[in-house]
Structure formats: structure tokens, C-alpha cells
Amino acid sequence: AILSGYEILEMKTLLFSRKENSKSQGAVSGNIDMDKDEQPRGALAVLLEIPKADQDQDHHHHHENDVKRMWVVNTHISHKICSEEQRSHAKELTSWINSFAVSGMDTNLDTEKIARKHAMILCGDLNSPVSLPRTGLSVIMADGKWTDLWNHHGTYDNSATMPSSVYKSKSRLSSFFKPMLGMRIDYILSYRSEDLLSVICNEIKVLNEGGHPEASDHCAVWADLHLS
């Protein structure tokens, strides 16, 4: 799901293909064995309309050309690290995104007004440690169009996004060692193209204060972004 305080202009969905032999009796009945059955997974994309910050204060100076738009894509690919299933999800995802990243938007929208007025980010649980080869993340990055925004302002300490329990410890263990006890597998990536706006990352961090593993075994990734 994607929650937004901005207006959603358009929405697209993708359901990853599943092999016929993955549709076992358990999967058909709804009782999926994560280790045996291929789970139904996919992606959701929404096109957001983002006004200039000062337009919120002065609506009298609102101009259509001041409006910027951003595609936000959210996904959760296979948990089977380095598997063909995970790489297949990543290949489908990048192919799908490339089909509408620059063009292919709703024909009801004025394409002249949209041209060079939108950006794109990909967020989600990629189940891929950053340095491991043959993962879904490695397939996405090999597409040559993506930037890991963590590399802009992220830090090594407190970088783990899973499991969230590593941050609940009351010990005096230095935060420097906590990434060794967990993994960074949740990402915010930006799409690079001369035809799109650039995404500038001012700040990015893992929201790990308190550590509530009973709520989720993952921590959220927060970023302050600027479109240019």
C-alpha cells in the first residue's frame, strides 16, 4: 500500500508471473508454505502531484507549470535471496517500470505539461543485502538507471532495516556493530534519466528509535527528497 498526503493522479499495478509448478495444492487453497510455494507478489505505482512548498501558503500564485509530479513505486520481491525467483521478479519489475517511466502515462493528462516535470523513486523490501551478487537488487542496479539514495547521506551505523529487534537491545553495544547483526534489505532508489526530474536526497535514515519487533521485523526507511 502507498499512503500519500499528495493527490494521486494515476495508479498502476503489477502481479509477478508465477511458474505453473509453483501453484501447489497448498498455494491454491491459500495455505502457502513460504519455503515450498511461490508467493503471489507484485508492485504498485502511483503518480503524485507535488506543488511547490510556497503554494501551500499562497494559492493565489499557483501556476500549472510550477507543479511537479513523481512516480512512487512500491514492491516486495521474493524472500528467497539469490534465487531465480527473486531475480525474475526484479527483471519483471524493471521492464514494467521502463515501460512507463518516461512515457506511457494516462492519455487524459496533458503530456506537454508533464514533460520533464516528473521524477520516479522505487521503494520497498527487496530482500537483498547490498553487497551480495545475483540478488534482485543486483538485477535492478544492473539496469543502469537506478541510484541507491542511501549512498547520498546514509551511514554505516544504524543502517540495518531487518530485523528490527537489533535496536531493542538495552545493552551498551555500539551502534557500529548493529548492522553486523542485521541487514539493509529495504531501499529507496531513484530513477535517472535526462527526460525526468532529478531526485536530490537531503537526508535519509532508518527509523529505529525504540525498536518494536512486535509491530514489524523490519524498520522503516525515511528520506527527505527534493525534485530538481
Side-chain angles (χ1 to χ4, degrees):
I2 296 177
L3 301 179
S4 173
Y6 298 115
E7 180 181 357
I8 296 176
L9 301 177
E10 186 180 352
M11 181 180 72
K12 296 177 181 290
T13 57
L14 168 69
L15 184 63
F16 295 136
S17 301
R18 299 169 66 194
K19 296 179 180 178
E20 286 299 321
N21 59 9
S22 72
K23 300 175 182 178
S24 67
Q25 187 61 41
V28 172
S29 67
N31 300 316
I32 297 177
D33 185 323
M34 290 183 64
D35 295 324
K36 297 180 180 179
D37 303 318
E38 186 173 351
Q39 296 178 302
R41 298 177 184 266
L44 171 66
V46 295
L47 180 62
L48 305 179
E49 182 170 271
I50 305 174
K52 282 188 175 180
D54 60 352
Q55 290 173 1
D56 294 335
Q57 303 171 6
D58 187 355
H59 296 281
H60 296 292
H61 291 83
H62 175 85
H63 299 287
E64 180 64 26
N65 290 335
D66 291 335
V67 174
K68 295 178 181 179
R69 296 177 173 90
M70 179 168 69
W71 279 107
V72 177
V73 183
N74 187 36
T75 191
H76 185 185
I77 66 175
S78 173
H79 67 289
K80 299 174 183 177
I81 298 177
C82 299
S83 66
E84 177 57 36
E85 178 184 312
Q86 187 180 89
R87 292 191 296 272
S88 176
H89 288 176
K91 291 173 185 175
E92 280 192 69
L93 179 65
T94 53
S95 177
W96 178 66
I97 290 175
N98 289 334
S99 71
F100 65 87
V102 177
S103 60
M105 286 173 283
D106 193 322
T107 55
N108 293 324
L109 300 176
D110 189 330
T111 54
E112 290 185 0
K113 292 178 180 177
I114 289 177
R116 296 184 181 275
K117 287 292 185 181
H118 76 276
M120 174 174 284
I121 59 172
L122 168 62
C123 315
D125 179 358
L126 302 183
N127 277 311
S128 307
V130 66
S131 59
L132 204 61
R134 296 180 60 78
T135 62
L137 175 65
S138 68
V139 170
I140 293 170
M141 299 306 289
D143 192 47
K145 298 181 176 69
W146 297 96
T147 297
D148 182 357
L149 295 182
W150 190 264
N151 294 334
H152 286 204
H153 291 288
T155 59
Y156 172 79
D157 57 313
N158 294 321
S159 62
T161 63
M162 196 283 295
S164 57
S165 57
V166 300
Y167 297 106
K168 192 175 182 179
S169 172
K170 301 298 183 181
S171 72
R172 299 179 61 85
L173 181 66
S174 169
S175 61
F176 181 84
F177 293 100
K178 289 185 178 178
M180 299 179 187
L181 305 177
M183 298 182 291
R184 182 166 75 92
I185 60 175
D186 301 270
Y187 297 85
I188 303 178
L189 311 178
S190 65
Y191 191 97
R192 301 190 308 272
S193 170
E194 293 181 355
D195 297 316
L196 302 184
L197 292 170
S198 297
V199 177
I200 308 301
C201 181
N202 299 318
E203 184 182 2
I204 187 168
K205 61 184 178 179
V206 174
L207 299 182
N208 53 38
E209 294 84 356
H212 296 287
E214 64 274 9
S216 174
D217 59 340
H218 288 249
C219 292
V221 181
W222 176 93
D224 178 19
L225 307 178
H226 174 73
L227 305 185
S228 174

